[in-house]
């Protein structure tokens, strides 16, 4: 009898192991591409006449394209916190971009990398970080006075050293890309001058290391999360290597416009190499690949007819491209449903089969049911959506910043209220007026009062800064 029980136990164990393997095999690999200062119309698939982006267009065409997606801020660090945590940046006291000196995402924040790692994913970050913790000592070793990528759940990472006055100098000299390899940090240590990546252009260094990681991680037997945050097309505008420089030459454009276009073409090419790698390894079908931008366009970028731009809370500063491809689960198509960078964490955890802890506060909603063909979250379920950004009086465009200035936004369905220090300054119906030209505050005083009250309540809520 004991023998029979033992054999039954062995069979049960074997069946359980097979079942677990089956479940693991269904979990997708996850790749997030985050561009930097890419405007709503900077990709040819989103209407850009300036530069062709065939690889990103392919990704968009093979996936679900969102035309009404918003970044968590009009500058980078706050949105990056939103992407990683699914929470409003203000929850962590992040109210502007970090200065590479004394700002960081609190170590207590729960990130998407930590949640995926806890569920058995291998996690890697490549590229720009801008959430603190990337200072080094004289020996090139990462200082530990601020949390960095590993403290936020990434098993491995490659970034640039994000430290002043280094980055400021390379920005002014316009060498941050062309000499980007000379200031790379990998897993808490600056790379040495004899390392093969030391001489690489930054965009190549990011793309090539991502390719290495995909090769390595795909052979591990566990799903992987690759968080690839390009610096492109953020300033300094630098000429991309050939063939991208020659391919983007055009009559009647400035040198900066040419540099800008070549940078986007270079990024697009590296995305193409990564998509090809997924195909070659036979893992593209069960890899969720998502692309978006951290905020709207800066100087040379294209926001179409939208108002504002980087550093401004009108839609030109916060409405961004977004598309997601997961052939095993998501059919190609287009969606005009509202989405927000806070939604990425719950969406990806949903795709990975991760049930979020009941005590984990999240401001976003999973878009996965909608991505799979269901309806998007209703306005009633979503509720009011908020933005906060300290006042930048300068607009990073070739024209003045729109007035009146605003430091907050509350969005309720089709209504968008802009405020300064909690006091309403503009109200737009962005369904009928997507370019925010007709301020209708006077016509809707009760709506303004209600939205303003909710905004002020949100501004008073507790923040976590440690």
């Amino acid at each position: 009898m004991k023998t029979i029980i033992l054999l039954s136990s062995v069979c049960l164990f074997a069946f359980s192991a097979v079942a677990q393997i089956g479940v693991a095999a269904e979990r997708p690999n996850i790749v997030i591409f985050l561009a930097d200062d890419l405007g709503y119309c900077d990709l040819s698939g989103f209407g850009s006449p300036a530069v062709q982006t065939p690889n990103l267009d392919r990704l968009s065409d093979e996936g679900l394209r969102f035309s009404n997606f918003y970044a968590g801020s009009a500058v980078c660090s706050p949105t990056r916190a939103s992407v990683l945590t699914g929470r409003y940046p203000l929850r962590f006291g992040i109210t502007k971009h970090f200065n590479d000196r004394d700002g960081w995402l609190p170590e207590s924040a729960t990130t998407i990398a930590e949640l995926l790692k806890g569920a058995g994913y291998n996690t890697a970050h490549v590229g720009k970080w801008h959430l603190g913790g990337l200072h080094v000592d004289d020996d090139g070793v990462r200082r530990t006075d601020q949390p960095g990528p590993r403290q936020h759940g990434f098993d491995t990472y490659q970034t640039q050293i994000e430290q002043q006055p280094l980055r400021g100098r390379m920005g002014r000299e316009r060498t941050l890309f062309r000499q980007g390899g000379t200031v790379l940090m990998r897993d808490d240590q600056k790379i040495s001058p004899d390392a093969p990546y030391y001489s690489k252009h930054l965009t190549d260094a990011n793309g090539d290391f991502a390719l290495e990681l995909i090769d390595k991680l795909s052979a591990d037997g566990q799903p992987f999360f690759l968080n690839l945050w390009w610096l492109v097309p953020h300033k300094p505008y630098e000429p991309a290597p050939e063939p991208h420089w020659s391919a983007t030459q055009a009559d009647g454009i400035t040198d900066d416009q040419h540099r800008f276009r070549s940078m986007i073409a270079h990024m697009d090419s590296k995305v193409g190499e990564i998509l090809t790698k997924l195909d070659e390894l036979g893992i593209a079908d069960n890899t969720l690949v998502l692309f978006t931008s951290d905020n709207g366009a800066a100087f040379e970028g294209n926001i179409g007819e939208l108002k504002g731009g980087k550093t401004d809370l009108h839609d030109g500063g916060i409405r961004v491209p977004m598309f997601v491809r997961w052939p095993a689960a998501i059919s190609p198509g287009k969606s005009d449903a509202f989405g927000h960078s806070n939604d990425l964490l719950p969406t990806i955890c949903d795709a990975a089969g991760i049930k979020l802890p009941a005590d984990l506060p999240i401001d976003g909603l999973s878009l996965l049911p909608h991505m799979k063909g269901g309806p998007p979250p209703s306005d009633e379920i979503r509720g009011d959506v908020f933005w906060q950004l300290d006042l930048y009086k300068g607009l990073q465009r070739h024209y003045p910043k729109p007035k009146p200035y605003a430091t907050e936004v509350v969005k309720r369905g089709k209504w968008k209220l802009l405020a300064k220090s909690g006091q309403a300054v503009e109200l737009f119906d962005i369904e009928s007026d997507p370019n925010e030209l007709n301020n209708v505050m006077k016509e809707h005083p009760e709506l303004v009062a209600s939205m303003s009250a909710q905004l002020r309540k949100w501004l008073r809520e507790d923040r976590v800064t440690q």
Side-chain angles (χ1 to χ4, degrees), residues 113 116-118 120-125 149-157 187 213 217 223-225:
L116 290 169
K117 183 176 180 178
Y121 275 71
N122 291 314
T123 59
H125 175 83
R150 280 185 159 172
Q151 288 68 45
H152 287 300
F154 290 100
D155 298 318
T156 188
Y157 72 90
D187 296 338
L213 285 170
L217 297 177
F224 64 81
F225 169 45

Side-chain angles (χ1 to χ4, degrees), residues 30 112 115-116 344-356:
I30 295 161
I112 188 172
L115 293 166
L116 290 169
L344 299 188
L345 181 148
T347 299
I348 288 171
C349 286
D350 199 359
I354 298 171
K355 184 177 180 180
L356 297 176

Side-chain angles (χ1 to χ4, degrees), residues 29 122 213-222 224 281 283:
N29 302 307
N122 291 314
L213 285 170
I214 290 170
D215 264 328
K216 176 184 177 182
L217 297 177
S218 64
D220 185 75
Q222 294 297 317
F224 64 81
L281 293 171
I283 59 175

Side-chain angles (χ1 to χ4, degrees), residues 178-179 181-182 191 193 195-201:
R178 288 173 287 181
Q179 297 179 16
T182 66
I191 70 167
Y197 276 69
Y198 190 83
S199 61
K200 284 183 181 281
H201 185 286

Side-chain angles (χ1 to χ4, degrees), residues 393-464:
K393 291 187 177 180
L395 181 70
Q396 292 193 21
R397 300 289 287 166
H398 294 297
Y399 44 79
K401 187 169 186 174
K403 291 184 178 181
Y405 296 146
T407 52
E408 301 97 29
V409 167
V410 55
K411 183 180 180 299
R412 180 181 295 173
K414 68 177 183 177
W415 299 106
K416 179 180 177 183
L417 182 82
L418 291 94
K420 184 173 184 290
S421 302
Q423 299 299 314
V425 295
E426 290 180 307
L427 178 70
F428 298 104
D429 175 349
I430 56 175
E431 285 186 1
S432 63
D433 181 24
N435 301 329
E436 299 169 287
L437 301 176
N438 184 27
N439 182 3
V440 293
M441 273 185 61
K442 293 182 179 179
E443 290 89 332
H444 300 278
E446 293 182 358
L447 180 63
V448 169
S450 172
M451 294 176 73
S452 297
Q454 289 302 111
L455 172 63
R456 288 192 288 269
K457 178 182 177 183
W458 177 73
L459 290 171
R460 292 193 299 267
E461 290 179 4
D462 292 339
R463 306 174 190 180
V464 177

Side-chain angles (χ1 to χ4, degrees), residues 133-178:
L134 295 181
H135 300 171
V136 296
D137 62 21
D138 292 341
D139 296 318
V141 178
R142 192 188 78 87
R143 297 184 181 275
T144 59
D145 57 329
Q146 301 176 10
R150 280 185 159 172
Q151 288 68 45
H152 287 300
F154 290 100
D155 298 318
T156 188
Y157 72 90
Q158 176 182 281
T159 65
Q160 283 187 313
I161 297 168
E162 294 180 355
Q163 185 169 331
Q164 296 296 353
L166 177 66
R167 282 175 62 82
R169 175 180 57 78
M170 295 183 77
R172 291 189 299 273
E173 295 173 352
R174 296 197 180 199
T175 59
L176 198 58
F177 286 91
R178 288 173 287 181

